[in-house]
Amino acid sequence: MKLSRGDIVLEEYALDKARVILFNPMQQMRATLREALHNIGFRRIAECGNIEQTQDELLIESPELLILDLDRNKDDVCNLVRDVRNGNYAKDPFIVIMALTWKPHLQKVNTTMDAGIDDIVLLPLSIGTLRSRVNMMIQKRKGFVVTGEYIGPNRRIDDRIDDELGTITVPNRLRFKATGDVTAMASPEAVDEARVLVDNHRLNRFAQRLHALLDILTNEEESTNDDAVEVDMCLDEMGDVIRDLHNRVEDNDSFNELTNICQSMEDLLTLLHQSTTTRLFDLMRVHAHAVTATLMNQDGAAELIARALGQATTQIAAKSA
C-alpha cells in the first residue's frame, strides 16, 4: 500500500528485520514508543534506560535506527551521537539517528543537530508522523558533510554545498533492510569506503581553514591598524588546525608525505609567533597549497611539497643562524 504526503511516498516497508535501539529513561515512555514502532512494522527493538546500556547495545550490533530521548541527559546524548559519528561506538558510524523531545527549544535543537543527528521529532508522536519520518530516512536521507568538528547529514534545506567537496552518500542500513537496495547496504567494504571519504573531506576542511586564516593574517599584516590580539588569536587557531591535521595524517600510510609538511608548518608557526613577515606568510601558503594538492590528488603535488620543504628549511636555517 502506498500513500502520498507531499513529495514523500509512504510505503508499508518490511521493517521486521531492522534493529532499533531505543533510549529513554522512563519505562512507561519506552513502552509507548515500542508500541508505536511495532505498529509501523519494527520487531527487533532493544530498550535502554540509560546511556551506558545504549553504548553496550551499540557495541553488540549496529542498529538500523537509533532513537534517543533528548529531554534528559542532553549533553550525554549529544556526546553519544558524536561518538557514533566518529566511529567510537558501532561498526557503522552512519546509522540513522533520531531524537525525540517534548520541548524543542532552539538552542537544544541546534546543539543536537550540530552533534550529527538525522532528525528531531516533536512529542507526542502519532503513528502517522513516525511512519512519515521513517519513510523520509529510507527515501530521502540527506548526504553527509564533514567539517573540522562535524560529521553528519547536510543541514541545508536546499541541499546546497558551497564548495567542490560536496556531500558524501553514506551507507543506509535502514533503507537496505526496508527495500533490499544493495547500493545502500552497510557492508564492511561500503562502510570503510565511506570512512575514507569522510577522512579525506575532513583533511580538506583543515586545509581550507589554513587558507582562510592566512587570508585574515595577510590582511592584518597589510593593515595600518595593527591588531596584535587578532593576529595572536589567528596564529593560535592555525596552530590548532595544524596539530589536528598532523595527528590525523601521521598514522595514515596514504598521507605519509603530509607528515613532513605538518612538521614544517609547525616550525614556521614558531617563527611567525616571533615575527609576522610577508615572506613567512607566503611560505606558509605554499605549504597550505601543497596540502590541498596532495589531498585532491592534483598534478604537481609532489613538486609543491618539495618546494615548500626546501624553502622552509632555508628560511628556518637563516632564522636560527
Side-chain angles (χ1 to χ4, degrees), residues 64-204:
E64 277 63 54
L65 176 61
L66 174 62
I67 300 179
L68 303 168
D69 173 73
L70 196 55
D71 291 334
R72 301 168 187 83
N73 310 103
K74 176 181 68 68
D75 291 340
D76 288 340
V77 166
C78 289
N79 288 334
L80 177 63
V81 174
R82 291 189 191 95
D83 281 339
V84 169
R85 294 301 186 219
N86 282 286
N88 299 331
Y89 291 103
K91 295 179 180 179
D92 179 6
F94 310 113
I95 56 178
V96 174
I97 307 177
M98 292 184 180
L100 306 180
T101 180
W102 292 92
K103 305 168 185 177
H105 301 309
L106 182 60
Q107 182 179 4
K108 178 168 65 176
V109 169
N110 288 340
T111 300
T112 309
M113 297 302 289
D114 286 344
I117 211 159
D118 282 276
D119 196 11
I120 295 180
V121 184
L122 181 63
L123 294 169
L125 183 64
S126 69
I127 300 298
T129 297
L130 179 59
R131 180 179 287 114
S132 177
R133 295 303 184 92
V134 169
N135 271 268
M136 176 72 79
M137 292 300 102
I138 293 171
Q139 296 184 32
K140 289 183 173 287
R141 189 187 189 192
K142 290 181 175 293
F144 272 41
V145 295
V146 183
T147 68
E149 298 180 352
Y150 176 79
I151 302 173
N154 180 19
R155 291 171 297 178
R156 289 186 180 274
I157 296 176
D158 57 3
D159 287 332
R160 179 170 52 88
I161 294 294
D162 294 329
D163 59 37
E164 72 279 3
L165 292 180
T167 61
I168 301 171
T169 301
V170 300
N172 186 344
R173 312 175 67 88
L174 184 59
R175 177 174 174 81
F176 172 66
K177 283 292 177 71
T179 68
D181 179 5
V182 294
T183 65
M185 183 169 56
S187 65
E189 295 78 14
V191 171
D192 286 344
E193 183 178 345
R195 283 178 184 268
V196 169
L197 287 173
V198 165
D199 289 341
N200 193 271
H201 277 223
R202 174 167 277 169
L203 294 175
N204 272 286

Side-chain angles (χ1 to χ4, degrees), residues 35 51 56 71 79 121 150 166-167 228 240 311-312 320:
E35 182 178 358
I51 291 292
D56 290 342
D71 291 334
N79 288 334
V121 184
Y150 176 79
T167 61
D240 292 338
Q311 291 180 355
S320 301

